Amino acid sequence: MKSSIDAKTLTVLVTGATSGFGAAVCRRFIKEGAKVIATGRRADRLKALKRELGPRCRIAEFDVRERRQVTAALDALPKEFAKINVVVANAGLALGLGPAQEADLEDWDAMIATNINGLLYTVRAALPGMVKRDEGHVILLGSVASDFPYPGGNVYGATKAFVKQFGLNLRADLLGSNVRVTSVEPGLAETEFSLVRFKGDADLAGRPYQGIDPLSADDVAETIFWSATLPRRVNINRLQVMPVMQAFGPFAFKRKTA
Ligand code: NDP
Ligand code: 8X3
């Protein structure tokens, strides 16, 4: 496509870069010459990624739930990494798959703190610079769970519905600037997501993927890279992507017994 953005001009902030989509996004952008700020809580993994990706990768260890850590990390960036023009607000998690009435409130708090508050702190910290420079792209990791309810998805799906709507509202606020906003909404993808949801139980975590060919982290990274390098006039508002082997079910009914 004419006038696509040259990845070499991009400085990409990625939250949740220690695993899954985030790590794949870092690799994808580095491959095309971008600079990347890879972040997460697990320092050992960040250091390994830095060793792999080299000098165009900078790492910053912080917890997105801690607002001050997020802003301090961005404030501490050296000038060659400070002009962030793509933010991939990806850090997030699901915890549990039980019905709401049995859910652990600690799990709900953690999902809200990470998927909503952490995402907001990340975007809010990077946004003024992008608006000031009149150039940038906010990419939010939503989910198909924002549109399609499923049993046990209760708070996780609701956090992703927040992400979707926040992205659309951001578009409204940013009209008149050259800052783009995209909500990327994957379906089933094989990462550490399921292992986290089932708290380290590898057997339970493997079940969603059995007998199907799920999305890979690289598949999702490709859609993110694509949306970020389209010509500046193009804004992908929402990008929903599923494995071919995933689709929609009918409504569920609890029928009266005779
Ligand atoms: P992974 O579990 O593989 O990766 C999650 C990443 O989020 C890790 O790097 C983790 O890093 C980071 N993270 C979690 N909590 C925090 C925190 N408090 N502070 C900083 N970083 C944090 O999962 P995915 O790659 O699959 O998930 C990435 C995003 O994609 C999430 O928002 C998820 O909801 C979404 N998603 C996933 C789908 C899937 O099927 N896999 C489908 C649709 C959306 P660390 O623990 O080192 O901090
Ligand atoms: C992750 C996909 O279907 O497990 O957002 O909610 S799903």
Side-chain angles (χ1 to χ4, degrees):
M1 198 184 289
K2 244 176 92 183
S3 317
S4 294
I5 291 178
D6 181 354
K8 293 189 185 69
T9 66
L10 298 178
T11 302
V12 187
L13 172 70
V14 183
T15 63
T18 56
S19 172
F21 302 161
V25 165
C26 293
R27 293 188 176 102
R28 186 69 186 90
F29 278 91
I30 286 282
K31 187 177 167 208
E32 303 299 335
K35 286 185 275 190
V36 163
I37 304 145
T39 77
R41 291 167 301 177
R42 284 170 289 181
D44 52 338
R45 291 200 182 193
L46 289 175
K47 283 179 193 147
L49 194 64
K50 163 85 188 145
R51 278 196 297 276
E52 176 190 335
L53 299 182
R56 278 185 288 107
C57 174
R58 182 172 177 92
I59 55 173
E61 181 194 336
F62 61 81
D63 185 328
V64 291
R65 296 171 297 183
E66 301 295 332
R67 192 192 330 167
R68 284 188 186 80
Q69 287 186 21
V70 179
T71 46
L74 266 59
D75 288 347
L77 288 171
K79 71 174 185 329
E80 60 276 24
F81 283 90
K83 289 185 181 161
I84 293 164
N85 46 15
V86 180
V87 176
V88 184
N90 162 76
L93 77 175
L95 290 170
L97 193 62
Q101 66 275 18
E102 291 168 15
D104 183 339
L105 283 169
E106 297 285 328
D107 288 349
W108 282 9
D109 283 346
M111 288 188 277
I112 292 165
T114 311
N115 303 357
I116 297 182
N117 294 346
L119 176 131
L120 292 177
Y121 301 154
T122 304
V123 172
R124 183 61 181 79
L127 205 50
M130 295 197 290
V131 171
K132 191 169 164 207
R133 292 187 291 278
D134 199 23
E135 180 214 21
H137 196 161
V138 176
I139 299 179
L140 308 175
L141 258 294
S143 167
V144 294
S146 66
D147 276 351
F148 305 106
Y150 60 83
N154 42 65
V155 167
Y156 177 71
T159 64
K160 293 303 183 180
F162 177 98
V163 170
K164 170 182 70 183
Q165 195 62 26
F166 177 61
L168 295 173
N169 282 338
L170 262 186
R171 285 277 291 133
D173 282 0
L174 292 168
L175 181 66
S177 79
N178 283 311
V179 181
R180 311 194 280 190
V181 186
T182 301
S183 165
V184 175
E185 300 166 13
L188 193 74
E190 192 160 10
T191 60
E192 292 177 17
F193 176 84
S194 199
L195 203 58
V196 172
R197 171 169 249 172
F198 295 108
K199 302 176 180 172
D201 184 328
D203 181 43
L204 280 180
R207 286 186 199 171
Y209 310 118
Q210 271 168 17
I212 78 154
D213 193 7
L215 298 174
S216 69
D218 288 342
D219 295 332
V220 175
E222 193 60 36
T223 67
I224 290 170
F225 182 80
W226 172 75
S227 63
T229 50
L230 287 167
R232 285 190 200 286
R233 62 183 177 273
V234 182
N235 192 95
I236 303 293
N237 296 335
R238 296 179 59 196
L239 201 164
Q240 194 182 86
V241 50
M242 278 182 178
V244 174
M245 295 173 90
Q246 179 178 21
F248 321 104
F251 283 114
F253 298 95
K254 171 75 182 84
R255 298 191 187 276
K256 291 184 211 163
T257 46

